[in-house]
Structures are given as structure tokens and as C-alpha cells.
Amino acid sequence: MEAVYQNFLIRDWQPSDRTPVTDIIRSVLAEYHLDFEPHAADCDVVDVENYYLTTKGEFWVIQQDDRLVGTGGYYPVMRGEQAVEIRKMYLLPHVRGLGLGKYLLQQLEKAIAARGFRQIWIETASVLTTAVKLYESYGYQPASGVETARCDRVYVKQIVSC
């Protein structure tokens, strides 16, 4: 994956991104008084290779100049039918409000559909109000079955085949 949005480059994760990615996620979670959990909810970003890359998922980073400013990815899950879960959509505060989150979500959805998946699941926390509004505005429907301890909302969206 490689895409450009304004002055941002969205590209595939590389092993050298591991520390900056965990720093971004830890920082954004702390803003909302949520803990970074490397042995639980965030184990996937500590081991991107096994959670994303070997499972037919993808993990992307967003780069501005030479600095990482955001993340996003998905991987298949045993929920629903031919389903994936979008995970780790995080943007640093100074790049929010520019349409980057919307663009990232659209690109994730396109990549997921191109790989033949039929459902997208997303878990989030109510305190992430901007994320909740984004998902709801893009047609994600509330569902049940939250699996992540720090999350209290789960959404699902059916992928419409062309």
C-alpha cells in the first residue's frame, strides 16, 4: 500500500516502525486516560508480523515528512462471515481535523473489499467520541459482543459487492 493524502504518505508498516507506532498508540490512549496494554489489547502492535502480515491483513503507517503521525490496519477475525476487524486507527492530535481519518477509513475499506472480505468489525471506547462519530457516519451499525476489555462499543458493516 502506498497512497498520498495532502502532505501525508500512507504506507505499509516496516519493522523499523515498531517503536514509533507503539509510541503513537500509547500517546493517543493516554490522552483519553486509557492504558496501553502490550500483553492484552495492544499485543497486535507489538507483533504486527503475526497478527497482520501472516493472516492476510495489513498494517499501515501515516508519515508526514520523516515522522510517523498515525496508524491503521485490519486482520481477519472469526466473527460474522468472511470478516475482518479494523484496528489501531490512531492519529496524533496535530493531524486531526484534516480529513485524514476519513481518508484512512475509506482506504482500509477499499483494501478490505478488494481482498474479498464481506464484513468489517470495529471495537472502540465511548470516550473516543470523534472515532465513534466517524464510524457511525460511514454506516457502521452497533452490534454486540465486545471482546476487548477497554472497549465498550462494537460496530459492524456489510461490504457491498460491485
Side-chain angles (χ1 to χ4, degrees):
M1 155 50 130
E2 192 164 298
V4 175
Y5 176 80
Q6 295 177 8
N7 64 334
F8 300 98
L9 172 65
I10 301 173
R11 63 168 175 80
D12 289 325
W13 177 91
Q14 302 166 1
S16 60
D17 297 327
R18 193 177 325 273
T19 298
V21 162
T22 56
D23 290 346
I24 288 168
I25 294 169
R26 185 186 316 271
S27 169
V28 173
L29 289 169
E31 267 185 79
Y32 295 93
H33 308 289
L34 299 170
D35 293 328
F36 180 76
E37 302 171 350
H39 302 292
D42 301 306
C43 62
D44 58 322
V45 293
V46 176
D47 191 5
V48 169
E49 295 88 344
N50 285 319
Y51 280 87
Y52 295 88
L53 307 185
T54 63
T55 64
K56 296 187 168 96
E58 294 185 86
F59 194 85
W60 303 337
V61 295
I62 303 166
Q63 188 174 320
Q64 184 181 40
D65 301 319
D66 290 329
R67 184 169 176 235
L68 297 188
V69 296
T71 64
Y74 67 89
Y75 57 68
V77 291
M78 294 299 190
R79 224 199 255 232
E81 184 182 341
Q82 292 178 283
V84 298
E85 182 176 345
I86 288 179
R87 297 188 46 87
K88 306 305 185 226
M89 273 191 57
Y90 291 105
L91 299 175
L92 290 176
H94 71 280
V95 299
R96 294 181 197 147
L98 304 173
L100 184 56
K102 292 175 185 176
Y103 182 79
L104 178 61
L105 183 59
Q106 291 168 348
Q107 294 305 305
L108 287 165
E109 288 182 350
K110 284 180 188 175
I112 290 164
R115 290 195 174 190
F117 293 105
R118 300 181 66 180
Q119 281 185 335
I120 303 172
W121 291 78
I122 298 177
E123 289 193 15
T124 193
S126 293
V127 296
L128 302 171
T129 54
T130 304
V132 168
K133 287 177 189 170
L134 175 65
Y135 302 142
E136 290 177 352
S137 72
Y138 273 79
Y140 288 83
Q141 299 297 313
S144 59
V146 173
E147 296 175 347
T148 307
R150 74 169 171 236
C151 295
D152 62 355
R153 289 178 180 249
V154 62
Y155 292 92
V156 65
K157 182 176 183 177
Q158 305 299 319
I159 298 173
V160 178
S161 301
C162 295

